[in-house]
Amino acid sequence: DTTTRLQAEKALVEFTNSPDCLSKCQLLLESGSSSYSQLLAATCLSKLVSRTSNPLPLEQRIDIRNYVLNYLATRPKLAAFVTQALIQLYARITKLGWFDCQKEDYIFRNVIVDVTRFLQDSVEHCIIGVTILSQLTNEINQADSTHPLTKHRKIASSFRDSSLFDIFTLSCNLLKQASGKNLNLNDESQHGLLMQLLKLAHNCLNFDFIGTSTDESSDDLCTVQIPTSWRSAFLDSSTLQLFFDLYHSIPPSLSPLVLSCLVQIASVRRSLFNNAERAKFLSHLVDGVKRILENPQSLSDPNNYHEFCRLLARLKSNYQLGELVKVENYPEVIRLIANFTVTSLQHWEFAPNSVHYLLSLWQRLAASVPYVKATEPHMLETYTPEVTKAYITSRLESIHIILRDGLEDPLDDAGLVQQQLDQLSTIGRCEYEKTCALLVQLFDQSAQSYQELLQSTNSSTMDIAVQEGRLTWLVYIIGAVIGGRVSFASTDEQDAMDGELVCRVLQLMNLTDSRLAQAGNEKLELAMLSFFEQFRKIYIGDQVQKSSKLYRRLSEVLGLNDETMVLSVFIGKIITNLKYWGQCEPITSKTLHSVRKLVKLSAVQFMLNNHTSEHFSFLGVNNQANLSDMRCRTTFYTALGRLLMVDLGEDEDQFEQFMLPLTAAFEAIAQMFSTNTFNEQEAKRTLVGLVRDLRGIAFAFNAKTSFMMLFDWIYPSYMPILQRAIELWYHVPACTTPVLKLMAELVHNRSQRLQFDVSSPNGILLFRETSKMITTYGTNSDYPKLSQSYYSLLEVLTQDHMNFIASLEPHVVMYILSSISEGLTALDTMVCTGCCSSLDHIVTYLFKQLSRSTKKRAAPMAQESDRFLHIMQQHPEMIQQMLSTVLNIIIFEDCRNQWSMSRPLLGLILLNEKYFADLRNSIVNSQPPEKQQAMHLCFENLMEGIERNLLTKNRDRFTQNLSVFRREVNDSMKNSTYGVNSNDMMS
């Protein structure tokens, strides 16, 4: 449970910080009574050797290193987690002591010598030795937050230059020996040895050789910066052959590690070889890939499959297409890779995360076609269309199965879909005629079936959903291949093909829009928006020839002669989406994101210039249901505000026209507030929406001119409405949060828009309104009724049920104490007085228990009392803090309940006499020299005649002394030139 765990963690910290921690750890390891005690010892030792303050001396660290090696050598069959922890300890000592010398010898660098005795012993010892090297390589490769990065790089570079190649060579030699001995991999220890050897080799190849700290999420772009001194290992084909042979000879449980090593080997930097050496190396690499493809049985394992896909991707990321086509077996290999890819795409449900690497390979191959200069045929015109077809048809065929079996829909993962579509956009443009013909055929089939289903009276919902899913994929893919158009490589014929595809999507849009009053498909609508964005990037703009054959086709089929007419269709779609999809955040958000792209369109200008109440209903001001998602309203007004800024300039008339709906709405709210005749729920709902609208505009107006128009509009006319809303509904977060966010936006100096003129009072006015709102909100939202009830309850509990409080969990007790500490400084006198009373009961209980425990022959304390005392001893700072707080209030503040403060203060002083003495000395020493004696006398008089008990007579005497003390201290402070800083005292 939580309490036990916290106690254990605290005990562990105390154990680690104790001066005899080393000897205790050795005792735990030697006793060997429990694996967990051994783990504790290893963990504590790792913390000791890792600490940056007060580090262990060199001799002790050498002793620990030697002890750990001997301990592992004499106990090869420890629990796995204990062995791992001890090896981690050895690696940490070695790394941190890499530059430490003893008699001019780098004592921690003889790592291979350290593990030699392990490698010459039993299989269990060999596993330990190899794991030591593997863990050390990994440890040195990883930076940690407790030591400087420069030190880490210095150690890693030295390790790379002095030891890493020897370790990699050792791992390869041991792998060769192991593979030549016909290991019995059914034997757990031999299986474990081979696995550790492969991990060691992989850690060596995965080392950050030049300190780039590559991001593993982009590993398909990674180049392994093998040092030049390693050339011999890679010029020797036996190294590469070793790993391919291992792949075919070991079980699938180990072969993913082999493929991971091959991925790294295939990624060695190009400059490691000259042209002839690189061609030879690539030939061996391709032969190994060909052999795997010819014997694909092990690829049925998902891990093997994934790593092999990564290996295929590296073929093109590190080598040029012109180099690949010159490989002797290239025609057969590209055929095998194409077949493997097609099969993989058809089995879309198997390892979907691996498809990225296959598409990455084909994307790079297709992108290289225009640049290849080799005379050998690349044959991509044959195989790329097959890959494109397999991807498209497999996505369409998956729809029925996903809907039938309730499987996870890939379309729900927008990031994954976009990534694959970006790759397909390049692949599909290779042999584009075939791609376009396929898309036209599939689209016409699905569109016709969809239309027939809609016209039929007995169509099943499943059949309609299947066709909508197919059309969703097709619209996404059409947008992607249009977005893959490269201007210098495109032809008029390809533009005409794009026109055929665009016509079909726009015709589908007309069909789906006509049904929105009855039903709609969210995923299909999102696909439409994706299509629009791709079309806009390619075919709208000054760089596009208006005579493009795409527009000719659009004119022939749909009567859309140029980009302006197409944009009119787009803006119509935007308005339709806002009208029918206002409650769907993804669609509304993406729709509004498109608005700011369309800034010169006459349809948009008409909307800006004519958005009276009649024309503005779709915006949500008069029709709340259309944009019920408040975030969408803010986003919409942000987009609309950006549109307005394009032509606004200093045209105040246009700004006022733009603000007319908001002006009318705020005037209505002002009228309701002034007459105090309004429906509270309706008023709150309407204000919340308007404030979000206004925040969107404020966010968009990041230019000084437009922002000043907005400021002059809101101040002074409508700022009182916001202030009034905070006063009325401070207790309603749904109302206060939007208002406070609006104020935060108004005071945000975005693009230096708040740089007012020197003579302008606007900065002061804005500050005044903001501070007024903060004060209003802060004053009203202390939840006074709840506070009074809570502290009244605490007062009763502490008075009559302290045994119950003492029995509570530590975190509950600490929460009660912290809430009392906060209440002592409350502005509400009732709350403050109640806290003093509660604190007095707690302190009295605590004092009695401590007094009882020190008496001879005292009866044993109850368990809860003992527990409460323990909690207070573990956290003395809480009581000390409250002592400081009470004394601070009495000395420095207008204490309106001095008698109540005096009651717990005596108990606090008696429980913390040393701390009180320190506070007293601090206050005295902070006085001018001539005042120190008088202040010291004040404190002496405070405790004069006070006994060490909490009897009523003693308390009353202390209360009287305190009144005199406060008067005398105040007199002294008034005459002092610098006094005491209360914040210093509190600290």
Side-chain angles (χ1 to χ4, degrees), residues 372-506:
V372 68
K373 298 179 181 179
T375 57
E376 293 81 359
H378 53 66
M379 305 178 73
L380 295 181
E381 71 281 357
T382 301
Y383 297 116
T384 302
E386 295 182 8
V387 173
T388 303
K389 181 179 180 180
Y391 181 85
I392 296 173
T393 56
S394 64
R395 304 308 109 168
L396 302 187
E397 291 166 1
S398 70
I399 297 296
H400 178 73
I401 300 172
I402 290 170
L403 292 174
R404 183 194 66 194
D405 299 340
L407 303 179
E408 185 176 352
D409 190 348
L411 287 171
D412 292 333
D413 189 342
L416 179 66
V417 171
Q418 191 57 53
Q419 183 186 60
Q420 293 182 0
L421 291 176
D422 289 343
Q423 295 168 323
L424 186 70
S425 65
T426 304
I427 302 170
R429 276 280 166 176
C430 187
E431 299 296 310
Y432 190 52
E433 296 82 358
K434 297 178 182 178
T435 301
C436 187
L438 175 65
L439 287 173
V440 167
Q441 175 193 349
L442 294 172
F443 194 98
D444 288 349
Q445 290 174 356
S446 292
Q448 182 177 353
S449 299
Y450 184 52
Q451 198 162 11
E452 292 172 354
L453 287 169
L454 294 180
Q455 293 171 351
S456 174
T457 58
N458 58 353
S459 302
S460 71
T461 305
M462 171 65 81
D463 291 338
I464 293 176
V466 168
Q467 294 306 324
E468 286 178 340
R470 291 170 64 90
L471 289 169
T472 298
W473 270 111
L474 288 168
V475 172
Y476 268 124
I477 292 170
I478 288 173
V481 296
I482 288 176
R485 178 184 185 270
V486 181
S487 56
F488 69 85
S490 296
T491 62
D492 286 346
E493 289 73 20
Q494 290 185 348
D495 288 352
M497 295 176 204
D498 284 350
E500 293 288 346
L501 297 176
V502 173
C503 286
R504 284 164 168 78
V505 175
L506 295 181

Side-chain angles (χ1 to χ4, degrees), residues 62-345:
I62 294 173
D63 289 343
I64 294 173
R65 190 273 311 266
N66 293 337
Y67 178 83
V68 168
L69 289 174
N70 289 328
Y71 193 86
L72 288 169
T74 55
R75 296 170 176 82
K77 295 187 178 182
L78 292 168
F81 58 85
V82 176
T83 301
Q84 181 65 30
L86 290 168
I87 291 175
Q88 176 68 38
L89 170 60
Y90 169 85
R92 182 65 54 84
I93 293 176
T94 303
K95 176 182 179 178
L96 297 179
W98 192 255
F99 289 107
D100 290 339
C101 286
Q102 188 182 55
K103 298 179 181 179
E104 299 184 357
D105 179 29
Y106 289 106
I107 193 65
F108 291 104
R109 295 193 183 184
N110 302 319
V111 290
I112 295 182
V113 175
D114 287 344
V115 302
T116 298
R117 59 171 169 166
F118 291 94
L119 302 179
Q120 295 173 347
D121 210 317
S122 66
V123 174
E124 288 79 10
H125 284 87
C126 285
I127 292 175
I128 293 173
V130 173
T131 306
I132 287 173
L133 294 176
S134 182
Q135 185 61 45
L136 175 63
T137 303
N138 193 53
E139 174 74 24
I140 291 182
N141 193 38
Q142 292 181 347
D144 64 83
S145 58
T146 58
H147 296 85
L149 183 62
T150 52
K151 180 179 180 181
H152 160 72
R153 282 311 314 161
K154 189 175 180 182
I155 294 171
S157 299
S158 174
F159 177 77
R160 173 199 65 197
D161 296 337
S162 63
S163 304
L164 187 57
F165 183 62
D166 292 336
I167 293 175
F168 176 67
T169 303
L170 177 63
S171 70
C172 291
N173 290 335
L174 291 174
L175 282 170
K176 290 176 183 177
Q177 294 176 20
S179 61
K181 290 183 177 179
N182 295 320
L183 290 177
N184 176 18
L185 295 179
N186 292 323
D187 180 88
E188 183 178 348
S189 59
Q190 296 188 22
H191 185 280
L193 174 58
L194 189 55
M195 181 175 67
Q196 292 301 329
L197 283 171
L198 290 170
K199 285 184 178 179
L200 174 58
H202 182 260
N203 285 344
C204 291
L205 292 167
N206 203 42
F207 196 82
D208 187 8
F209 292 98
I210 60 173
T212 54
S213 299
T214 53
D215 180 6
E216 291 185 2
S217 64
S218 58
D219 63 349
D220 55 325
L221 302 176
C222 180
T223 297
V224 180
Q225 301 290 342
I226 294 291
T228 304
S229 58
W230 290 39
R231 263 172 54 86
S232 58
F234 295 91
L235 291 178
D236 183 0
S237 61
S238 64
T239 301
L240 190 59
Q241 193 62 42
L242 167 66
F243 289 95
F244 278 118
D245 290 343
L246 283 169
Y247 171 80
H248 292 285
S249 61
I250 61 178
S253 59
L254 293 175
S255 45
L257 275 172
V258 178
L259 289 174
S260 295
C261 293
L262 285 169
V263 168
Q264 295 302 102
I265 294 173
S267 306
V268 297
R269 59 185 174 93
R270 293 174 54 82
S271 55
L272 190 68
F273 311 106
N274 60 35
N275 289 343
E277 292 167 346
R278 189 181 310 112
K280 182 180 179 182
F281 181 81
L282 179 59
S283 178
H284 289 299
L285 182 62
V286 171
D287 283 344
V289 169
K290 175 175 174 286
R291 185 181 171 194
I292 293 176
L293 287 169
E294 289 173 339
N295 301 275
Q297 295 81 4
S298 295
L299 296 179
S300 58
D301 177 81
N303 294 322
N304 276 334
Y305 172 80
H306 181 79
E307 292 300 323
F308 183 66
C309 290
R310 291 182 64 218
L311 177 59
L312 290 178
R314 296 295 174 97
L315 286 178
K316 182 59 189 71
S317 63
N318 262 35
Y319 303 96
Q320 299 173 0
L321 179 58
E323 295 171 329
L324 285 169
V325 298
K326 293 180 180 179
V327 173
E328 181 179 358
N329 294 320
Y330 173 79
E332 179 63 13
V333 171
I334 196 66
R335 182 188 68 81
L336 290 170
I337 293 176
N339 292 341
F340 175 76
T341 303
V342 169
T343 303
S344 298
L345 292 173

Side-chain angles (χ1 to χ4, degrees), residues 570-626:
F570 284 11
I571 202 66
K573 180 59 176 171
I574 287 172
I575 295 174
T576 299
N577 282 359
L578 293 175
K579 181 178 181 181
Y580 289 104
W581 292 99
Q583 296 182 352
C584 179
E585 196 276 335
I587 292 179
T588 308
S589 178
K590 290 184 181 296
T591 299
L592 295 175
H593 179 74
S594 303
V595 173
R596 61 193 178 104
K597 309 284 187 180
L598 314 174
V599 294
K600 290 293 185 179
L601 181 61
S602 59
V604 176
Q605 296 300 322
F606 175 82
M607 184 173 68
L608 290 175
N609 295 326
N610 299 275
H611 64 286
T612 61
S613 297
E614 293 79 11
H615 295 97
F616 221 78
S617 61
F618 76 93
L619 298 183
V621 174
N622 296 322
N623 187 354
Q624 294 282 340
N626 291 336

